[in-house]
Amino acid sequence: MHVLLVEDDPLIAQGLVAGLELQGFTLDHMAHARAAEQALQLGHFDVMILDLGLPDEDGLQLLTRIRSQGKDLPVLILSARDTVLQRVAGLQAGADDYLLKPFDLRELAARLHSLLRRSSGRSSNLIEHHGLTFDPSSQAVQLHGEAVNLSRREQALLAALLQKPGHILSAEQLQDSLYGLGDGVESNAINVHIYNLRRKLGSDVVKTVRGLGYRMGVPHEPT
Amino acid sequence: MHVLLVEDDPLIAQGLVAGLELQGFTLDHMAHARAAEQALQLGHFDVMILDLGLPDEDGLQLLTRIRSQGKDLPVLILSARDTVLQRVAGLQAGADDYLLKPFDLRELAARLHSLLRRSSGRSSNLIEHHGLTFDPSSQAVQLHGEAVNLSRREQALLAALLQKPGHILSAEQLQDSLYGLGDGVESNAINVHIYNLRRKLGSDVVKTVRGLGYRMGVPHEPT
DNA sequence: CGTAACTGTTAATGCTGTCTTAATTAAGCC
DNA sequence: GGCTTAATTAAGACAGCATTAACAGTTACG
């Protein structure tokens, strides 16, 4: 799960990055509207957290411009402005949710999950795929009712693949989804994690599409 | 826009019906979980407003059951319960938004619009051609419903031809489309790839126009 | 505080499918 | 029939990936 965080207060940003990464999100943090807009052009994000009080531009203006470009990524506004009119203005500018500062990290996480669920067209928080279930909010994986112990990277990889079942994801896309845009790995780390996933969930969980990337497949049969 | 309102307090319900219908929504009002569930089976709704304090069942239970049936209509929870845990519980049960009583009608309307915009904004740009489908976003090819496994070059070739059905593309044009303008191949590679495409999709997928190039044709019949 | 277990990354090796090449056969055209 | 163009086939080169092992960093626990 790749989150673009647009927030100028370094303290809040730092807390959010740490807290949400613990919950399995991958964050890229920008402190200015300009930088955020560039980041959006550069890579793919699953959701944006937008602070309204930015130094170089009002968050609503940024949001409006993003929407006018046809981008439809879910946007959650984070703001201290609490009047009905301001909240309505936020939603009308194209936000999908509006959370007040100060906020509770658990609620923010739950709302992010809810937005992601909706944007990926699912009806429930639980992702189910041929006997394999993954709960993004609790980060628990089960295969045919049996709990499976996955490491952080393995979980992130599985989540990225499950988010778009049927789609082919290139190694680069997966890398962005696991590490964020800035610092990636310089080796076949993704490759190795895929291999480990297959050892735990069956060699067919992930299909290789030679030259293009990987795609979700069918896991182990029940024993 | 068709809204299913599930709310047992007749005063609030009446106000909502009147207020939202003024804003162009169409409302159906149910006061019990049972009735709401039946209404969902019977007809189509674009969004549901759900009060948690229902007489016959807790709203969260109803929501969970609806989600387990695979229904993915957007749900906005209306509740007086205001603790973080309760809001998180609501979102985890599959709600898309959570609004506190007492609420402002303008904000409710704005949030409904936000939900609807998101749920309707999903379109696919599938290319279809005589039973052959190609989805550029997932890079998946299907012939009469059956998935077909194409290699990278074969896909690129097919995509180039499908982009301009009816047009004749010279071997040189196809080469540019596969390899870029700079460095091409110096043999009949395109020719061989065409041959392999025909083996997988039927000898008539690609028509040869002698002296000029190739153009899209009709693939295999369904077996 | 130190050891053990686990996790993540890097790197080396070998395998496999794909791409290209080239040679041969078949088809269209004057 | 001779010439040109395309289809078919097979073989080698190559790139991409799986697999394995080693190492460093981190966490858990005595």
Side-chain angles (χ1 to χ4, degrees), chain A residues 70-162:
Chain A
K71 292 201 187 300
D72 69 340
L73 95 160
V75 172
L76 185 148
I77 285 184
L78 216 51
S79 164
R81 309 175 190 169
D82 182 21
T83 73
V84 166
L85 280 181
Q86 280 160 350
R87 293 164 80 157
V88 169
L91 294 170
Q92 280 185 348
D96 298 283
D97 207 342
Y98 197 106
L99 197 55
L100 282 180
K101 294 180 184 176
F103 54 88
D104 184 285
L105 196 59
R106 285 167 300 174
E107 177 162 11
L108 176 57
R111 285 185 177 270
L112 287 180
H113 282 303
S114 174
L115 285 177
L116 289 168
R117 169 171 60 71
R118 173 131 300 279
S119 74
S120 70
R122 281 180 279 121
S123 60
S124 132
N125 278 356
L126 209 65
I127 305 177
E128 200 279 339
H129 182 91
H130 289 97
L132 185 70
T133 61
F134 175 60
D135 184 346
S137 50
S138 72
Q139 304 180 50
V141 176
Q142 288 195 336
L143 179 56
H144 304 302
E146 298 273 317
V148 182
N149 191 13
L150 296 185
S151 75
R152 198 161 59 97
R153 295 272 128 104
E154 288 160 2
Q155 265 184 28
L157 209 43
L158 185 64
L161 288 166
L162 280 172

Side-chain angles (χ1 to χ4, degrees), chain B residues 1-4 28 39-47 72-74:
Chain B
M1 287 306 158
H2 211 160
V3 181
L4 178 60
D28 276 309
L40 277 177
Q41 315 296 339
L42 246 70
H44 170 263
F45 294 90
D46 298 294
V47 61
D72 69 341
L73 93 161

